């Protein structure tokens, strides 16, 4: 069986004995053009790029990502812009896998099938839908699989044992473990040790799959979690964009430097 | 799509939580799966538990003050001519609105589940005020999420919330109204669901919250049925039950006992917020034919743009100023059991003015929307038609707005 680009990304990292670095940025934040520039400039340090399509009523996002989403929407962000950004990014020579992430209503309004087809067409490799949990996502996840798009299941510290097993079984090659009870960007209120303990238990259910940890990871905590298959940094990057704008500095350069620093901490 | 007889509407969803196969459900982040499941399990058990029912009935009677009055508005009726206009004065309930039913039940649920903290959203401030009252009564620590615009326009209720010892968390995002308060409250719950119980202030949100709320407010129509029989000797031939609809909890509670009656005998009319007369903005997803979408964990008709971003809404009434609506009302609309219309800010104000001129009644801006419809249709109807309006809130909270718009309160 041919390995998916997401699988290959994890494999490469394993060969280098380090976790995959995943970033999360919001499409059209701070503008359509700049968000594409950010993707291009961080591409060489990152293993998988998560790109959010911002929603006006995000029920699981903390302040930083909300700010980015609202900024994008205020700047006129439309779903089609997210696809265009991905399409243009994928014109680069060496591209990384892209995972689109967002809330179900945007997909529902686009039309599930049309959405997946469009993803396929522009080169999206995976999808995360925050408010479409298992088992409600079974049908959608199968549709993704059919088009070789990875549907990323989420697991949380509240997920029961029985549920964990069933979700892992139904999942594709990548699974997202939410580090703690929190919206995105919360302060890490659980010790990395404890997070990894939970993580390793889950990993044992099916060690062949790739598990990433996200929520609350910053350049201060990332190195303590580096035994995981992959680590996602989102809010810290969104915050950097906000900070850059406030200081009238170039967010592209600042984010790029930050991602470089993050990468250095896990190699 | 069909309504089943002899089954409460709150229980007419499929195994995935959808009414009519497409309204409702539970679109929630993974973290909330467990607390939502726990709540659903507790509620299913407790609603069949005789002691719990006894406790509920005890507090409904002795704390909330059931039954609330059912009165004829003689002066208004004779002024308008046509149908008889009656009111179910739910605003006489402890705290001044129907929100006390849901709040009391949630506080009882919270306690039986062993949680010490309770959080809730509010728009008009009544849901928040009642939750803070119930929290105080049952010894729970309480936080209320409220949009900054609403904090400013519903001051009296904010004072009451704080007096009860609850904290108001101001919400600055978006339009700074109810929709943002609900989002923020849900986000807070995601982070604190291990110790904290969440109350959703209306029949909206993930499936279980629609059910708990509907189960609570249905007290209104249970009382009304008895009162109608007592007043008329039997259920009259032509009744119209008119209720404002924000999330739809008061309307659900006002109608639930009567769903099985033919609509030719008991008609349901829901009145949404039409917003300012010359504005494009409104909060009337049902009557202005908004598209199906997902908001706050459930599928319903939602004011939104083509992309699925939730639209800003506008209404003089903070309690109706919400872009979504209960999945059960979507179900009632599509099965044609209920009819939905809207009233503008201006007609709600005019209705308030007229009702208070003729009657010793002081309906808040939310039920004033329902009165606007009653006033509009009554003159065209026959004397044997009984219009009953749910006067579900007291206008004290609106005194600043009323003073500004009408020059007096
Ligand atoms: C007095 C009053 N009526 C009506 C509403 C609207 O909510 P619902 O449609 O759930 O009754 C509110 C909400 O705050 C309210 O305070």
């Amino acid at each position: 069986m041919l390995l998916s680009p997401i699988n290959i990304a994890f494999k490469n990292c394993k060969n280098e004995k380090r976790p995959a670095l995943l970033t999360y940025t919001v499409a059209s934040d701070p503008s359509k053009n700049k968000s594409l520039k950010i993707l291009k400039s961080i591409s060489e340090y990152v293993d998988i790029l998560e790109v959010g399509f911002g929603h006006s009523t995000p029920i699981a996002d903390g302040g930083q990502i909300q700010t980015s989403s609202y900024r994008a929407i205020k700047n006129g962000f439309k779903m089609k812009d997210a696809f265009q950004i991905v399409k243009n990014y994928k014109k680069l020579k060496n591209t990384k896998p892209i995972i689109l992430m967002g809330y179900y209503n945007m997909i529902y309004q686009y039309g599930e099938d049309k959405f997946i087809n469009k993803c396929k067409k522009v080169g999206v490799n995976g999808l995360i839908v925050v408010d479409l949990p298992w088992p409600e996502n079974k049908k959608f996840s199968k549709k993704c699989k059919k088009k070789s798009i990875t549907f990323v299941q989420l697991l949380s510290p509240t997920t029961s044992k029985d549920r964990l097993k069933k979700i892992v079984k139904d999942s594709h090659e990548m699974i997202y473990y939410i580090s703690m009870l929190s919206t995105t960007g919360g302060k890490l209120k659980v010790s990395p040790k404890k997070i990894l303990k939970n993580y390793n238990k889950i990993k044992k259910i099916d060690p062949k799959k790739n598990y990433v940890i996200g929520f609350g990871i910053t350049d201060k905590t990332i190195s303590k979690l580096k035994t995981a298959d992959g680590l996602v940094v989102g809010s810290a990057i969104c915050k950097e964009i906000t900070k850059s704008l406030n200081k009238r500095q170039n967010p592209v350069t600042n984010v790029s430097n930050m991602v470089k620093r993050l990468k250095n901490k896990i190699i | 799509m069909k309504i089943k007889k002899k089954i409460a509407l709150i229980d007419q969803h499929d195994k995935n939580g959808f009414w009519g196969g497409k309204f409702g459900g539970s679109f929630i982040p993974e973290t909330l799966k467990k607390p939502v499941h726990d709540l659903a399990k507790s509620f299913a058990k407790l609603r069949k538990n005789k002691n719990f029912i006894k406790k509920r009935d005890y507090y409904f009677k002795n704390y909330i003050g059931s039954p609330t009055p059912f009165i004829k508005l003689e002066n208004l009726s004779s002024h308008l001519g046509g149908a008889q206009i009656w009111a179910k004065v739910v605003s006489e309930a402890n705290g001044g609105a129907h929100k006390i039913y849901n709040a009391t039940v949630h506080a009882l649920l919270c306690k039986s589940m062993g949680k010490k903290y309770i959080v809730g959203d509010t728009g008009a401030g009544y849901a928040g005020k009642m939750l803070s009252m119930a929290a105080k009564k049952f010894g729970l620590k309480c936080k209320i999420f409220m949009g900054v615009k609403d904090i400013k326009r519903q001051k009296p209720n904010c004072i009451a919330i704080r007096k009860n010892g609850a904290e108001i968390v101001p919400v600055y995002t978006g339009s700074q109204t109810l929709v943002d308060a609900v989002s923020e409250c849900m986000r807070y719950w995601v982070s604190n669901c291990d110790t904290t119980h969440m109350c959703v202030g209306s029949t909206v949100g993930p499936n279980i919250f629609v059910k708990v709320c509907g189960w609570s407010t249905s007290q209104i129509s249970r009382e009304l049925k008895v009162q109608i029989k007592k007043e008329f000797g039997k259920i009259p031939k032509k009744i119209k039950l008119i209720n404002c609809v924000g999330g739809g909890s008061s309307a659900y509670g006002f109608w639930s006992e009567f769903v099985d009656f033919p609509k030719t005998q008991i008609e349901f009319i829901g009145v949404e917020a039409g917003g300012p007369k010359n504005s494009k903005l409104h909060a009337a997803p049902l009557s202005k034919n908004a598209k199906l979408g997902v908001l706050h964990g459930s599928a319903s008709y939602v004011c939104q743009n083509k992309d699925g971003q939730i639209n800003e809404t506008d209404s003089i009434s903070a309690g109706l100023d919400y872009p979504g609506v209960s999945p059960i009302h979507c179900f009632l609309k599509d099965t044609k059991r209920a009819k939905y219309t809207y009233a503008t800010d201006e007609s709600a104000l005019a209705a308030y003015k007229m009702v208070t001129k003729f009657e010793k009644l002081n309906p808040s801006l939310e039920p004033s929307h329902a009165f606007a419809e009653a006033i509009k249709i009554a003159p065209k109807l026959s004397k044997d038609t009984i219009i009953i309006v749910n006067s579900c809130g007291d206008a004290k909270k609106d005194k600043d707005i009323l003073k500004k718009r009408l020059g007096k309160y």
Side-chain angles (χ1 to χ4, degrees):
Chain A
M1 201 177 92
L2 218 59
L3 282 182
S4 74
I6 289 179
N7 247 327
I8 292 170
F10 282 111
K11 222 173 152 195
N12 290 341
C13 296
K14 260 164 216 159
N15 287 339
E16 293 178 19
K17 297 200 163 38
R18 63 169 178 90
L21 177 61
L22 293 86
T23 53
Y24 173 90
T25 51
V26 174
S28 289
D29 178 42
S31 69
K32 191 171 163 187
N33 193 16
K34 285 234 171 82
S35 69
L36 174 62
K37 277 197 179 142
I38 289 175
L39 293 180
K40 285 180 175 172
S41 76
I42 61 178
S43 186
E44 65 172 300
Y45 314 109
V46 176
D47 300 292
I48 296 171
L49 295 157
E50 290 183 9
V51 177
F53 42 99
H55 188 45
S56 56
T57 54
I59 55 172
D61 281 309
Q64 306 300 342
I65 292 180
Q66 280 183 56
T67 302
S68 283
S69 302
Y70 300 147
R71 191 159 50 217
I73 293 168
K74 205 169 151 213
N75 290 341
F77 167 75
K78 293 272 159 6
M79 197 60 229
K80 67 175 196 307
D81 299 325
F83 292 128
Q84 258 169 30
I85 290 166
V86 177
K87 193 173 162 189
N88 286 328
Y89 165 78
K90 288 280 179 172
K91 285 180 187 157
L92 282 187
K93 225 196 245 143
N94 285 311
T95 63
K96 301 292 168 69
I98 286 214
I99 294 176
L100 280 190
M101 176 165 178
Y103 290 84
Y104 182 65
N105 195 41
M106 309 270 296
I107 298 174
Y108 181 72
Q109 298 311 323
Y110 205 92
E112 282 191 357
D113 296 325
K114 209 174 133 204
F115 188 91
I116 293 170
N117 286 335
K118 186 75 184 177
C119 283
K120 188 77 202 160
K121 211 163 137 196
V122 299
V124 170
N125 306 93
L127 281 173
I128 300 177
V129 191
V130 181
D131 55 348
L132 194 64
W134 187 89
E136 283 86 351
N137 61 33
K138 275 182 163 181
K139 222 173 75 199
F140 186 71
S141 150
K142 272 193 194 134
K143 282 185 187 174
C144 292
K145 183 124 194 167
K146 257 198 189 144
K147 298 273 170 182
S148 312
I149 287 173
T150 305
F151 183 84
V152 181
Q153 297 282 1
L154 295 151
L155 302 174
S156 134
T158 57
T159 311
S160 70
K161 251 195 211 153
D162 185 47
R163 225 176 121 72
L164 282 174
K165 279 190 196 143
K166 288 177 179 158
I167 299 178
V168 169
K169 186 163 165 273
D170 267 357
S171 68
H172 304 171
E173 72 269 30
M174 171 181 160
I175 296 169
Y176 193 127
Y177 177 62
I178 297 167
S179 61
M180 56 182 170
L181 299 195
S182 173
T183 49
T184 51
K187 230 179 154 171
L188 212 57
K189 57 183 180 184
V190 184
S191 71
K193 225 176 171 172
K194 203 158 166 208
I195 295 172
L196 285 170
K197 203 175 141 200
N198 269 338
Y199 173 88
N200 288 325
K201 258 192 232 156
I202 296 167
K203 172 95 186 160
K204 267 197 205 116
I205 299 173
D206 184 352
K208 287 193 299 297
K209 293 190 174 171
N210 305 291
Y211 301 75
V212 304
I213 304 178
F215 283 37
I217 300 179
T218 61
D219 58 352
K220 296 214 170 57
T221 48
I222 192 163
S223 62
K224 294 182 193 134
L225 292 163
K226 67 182 179 187
T227 55
D229 297 338
L231 299 167
V232 189
V233 183
S235 293
I237 296 174
C238 293
K239 190 173 166 186
E240 187 66 26
I241 296 175
T242 304
K243 235 166 76 187
S244 307
L245 295 174
N246 288 341
K247 288 192 194 157
R248 297 175 184 272
Q249 292 171 347
N250 185 352
V252 183
T253 330
N254 285 359
V255 168
S256 180
N257 287 335
M258 173 181 227
V259 173
K260 236 186 283 181
R261 280 201 306 277
L262 287 165
K263 177 68 177 285
N264 279 329
K265 297 219 160 143
I266 53 166
I267 48 177
Chain B
M1 212 178 278
K2 235 179 134 174
I3 296 175
K4 291 190 197 107
K5 296 233 178 217
K6 292 191 177 137
I7 303 176
L9 271 179
I10 55 165
D11 296 318
Q12 295 197 23
H13 56 81
D14 62 22
K15 68 177 199 309
N16 297 316
F18 290 97
W19 282 271
K22 62 181 196 182
F23 306 117
S26 282
F27 296 84
I28 50 176
E30 175 62 25
T31 303
L32 291 184
K33 270 279 178 181
K34 183 182 185 310
V36 161
H37 177 77
D38 290 349
L39 174 60
K41 230 169 68 184
S42 297
F43 177 63
K45 217 167 87 189
L46 288 170
R47 66 188 283 200
K48 285 194 196 123
N49 178 312
K50 277 201 191 105
N51 279 332
F52 187 77
I53 300 289
K54 234 195 210 157
K55 219 185 316 183
R56 177 197 70 177
D57 292 342
Y58 174 83
Y59 288 111
F60 277 12
K61 180 156 183 269
N62 299 294
Y63 174 60
I64 295 179
S66 290
T68 57
F70 173 53
I71 57 169
K72 185 169 185 192
L73 305 182
E74 295 276 6
N75 302 331
L76 186 65
S77 301
S78 58
H79 170 74
L80 291 168
Q84 303 174 37
I85 305 178
W86 293 67
K88 170 82 173 147
V89 194
V90 174
S91 59
E92 286 290 310
N94 193 8
H98 65 289
K99 300 280 178 190
I100 190 68
Y101 298 103
N102 188 42
T104 302
V105 168
H106 269 287
L108 288 171
L109 283 170
C110 178
K111 262 194 98 80
S112 358
M113 288 167 62
K115 291 186 169 173
K116 293 193 177 68
Y117 302 90
I118 196 162
V119 294
D121 58 80
T122 198
Y126 271 133
K129 177 183 172 187
M130 308 311 182
L131 197 64
S132 70
M133 280 167 55
K136 188 174 168 193
K137 171 110 188 140
F138 297 106
L140 303 164
K141 265 197 87 92
C142 176
K143 269 188 212 291
I144 300 297
F145 293 81
M146 189 168 188
V148 170
K149 180 174 172 187
D150 292 337
I151 292 177
K152 283 184 194 136
R153 63 175 162 171
Q154 307 279 240
K155 232 188 250 150
N157 279 349
C158 297
I159 293 169
I161 293 169
R162 294 196 178 106
K163 234 190 208 158
N164 291 326
E167 177 195 349
I168 297 179
V169 182
V171 180
Y172 292 94
T173 51
S175 49
Q176 312 191 334
T177 56
L178 181 56
V179 65
D180 311 292
V182 178
S183 299
E184 192 63 23
C185 187
M186 285 192 168
R187 288 190 282 260
Y188 181 87
W189 199 40
V190 169
S191 300
N192 298 281
C193 57
D194 49 345
T195 57
T196 303
H197 175 71
M198 179 177 75
C199 164
V200 177
S202 184
T203 36
V204 297
N207 174 282
I208 184 59
F209 291 97
V210 176
K211 294 185 68 164
V212 172
C213 185
W215 188 77
S216 311
T217 55
S218 59
Q219 173 68 16
I220 301 169
S221 53
R222 271 199 301 276
E223 291 172 10
L224 181 60
K225 200 171 176 185
V226 176
Q227 290 167 322
I228 290 177
K229 279 184 184 156
K230 197 168 156 215
E231 194 64 50
F232 299 98
K234 57 173 187 175
I235 307 277
K237 287 259 164 50
K238 274 185 262 176
I239 297 181
K240 291 179 194 290
L241 299 180
I242 307 184
N243 205 122
C244 62
V245 176
S249 64
S250 50
Y252 179 84
F254 193 47
W255 298 345
S256 54
E257 275 296 309
F258 302 106
V259 175
D260 287 352
F261 283 83
K263 69 177 171 195
T264 44
Q265 183 178 9
I266 303 187
E267 192 187 351
F268 303 156
I269 303 173
V271 187
E272 299 184 299
K277 203 162 89 194
N278 294 317
S279 164
K280 276 206 182 90
L281 298 180
H282 59 81
L286 293 170
S287 52
K288 300 222 177 186
N289 297 315
K291 270 189 313 177
L292 187 64
V294 176
L295 171 65
H296 293 145
S298 78
S300 76
Y301 293 119
V302 179
C303 302
Q304 58 183 323
N305 71 12
K306 238 181 112 192
D307 247 21
Q309 305 290 6
I310 306 309
N311 282 349
E312 276 210 28
T313 54
D314 193 6
S315 168
I316 192 170
S317 142
L320 305 183
D321 201 356
Y322 184 72
V325 66
S326 177
I328 295 187
H329 286 293
C330 300
F331 183 48
L332 287 171
K333 181 188 172 185
D334 278 23
T335 51
K336 301 199 161 67
R337 179 63 186 90
K339 197 166 89 181
Y340 297 88
T341 178
Y342 62 86
T344 60
D345 289 0
E346 289 76 8
S347 37
L349 282 166
Y352 173 82
K353 218 168 136 181
M354 182 180 282
V355 171
T356 48
K357 182 178 162 197
F358 286 104
E359 302 291 342
K360 271 217 308 261
L361 198 64
N362 193 24
S364 69
L365 286 166
E366 291 80 15
S368 291
H369 283 69
F371 277 113
E373 178 67 15
I375 289 166
K376 192 168 122 193
I377 63 174
K380 299 176 230 164
L381 298 168
S382 60
K383 283 237 175 315
D384 60 345
T385 304
I386 314 293
I387 289 179
I388 309 173
V389 178
N390 182 359
S391 194
C392 56
D394 185 278
K396 247 178 254 141
K397 70 171 179 74
D398 295 324
K399 72 172 195 276
D400 291 345
I401 302 170
L402 291 165
K403 224 189 249 161
K404 194 169 151 210
R405 296 292 294 266
L406 299 175
K408 62 170 193 226
Y409 166 75

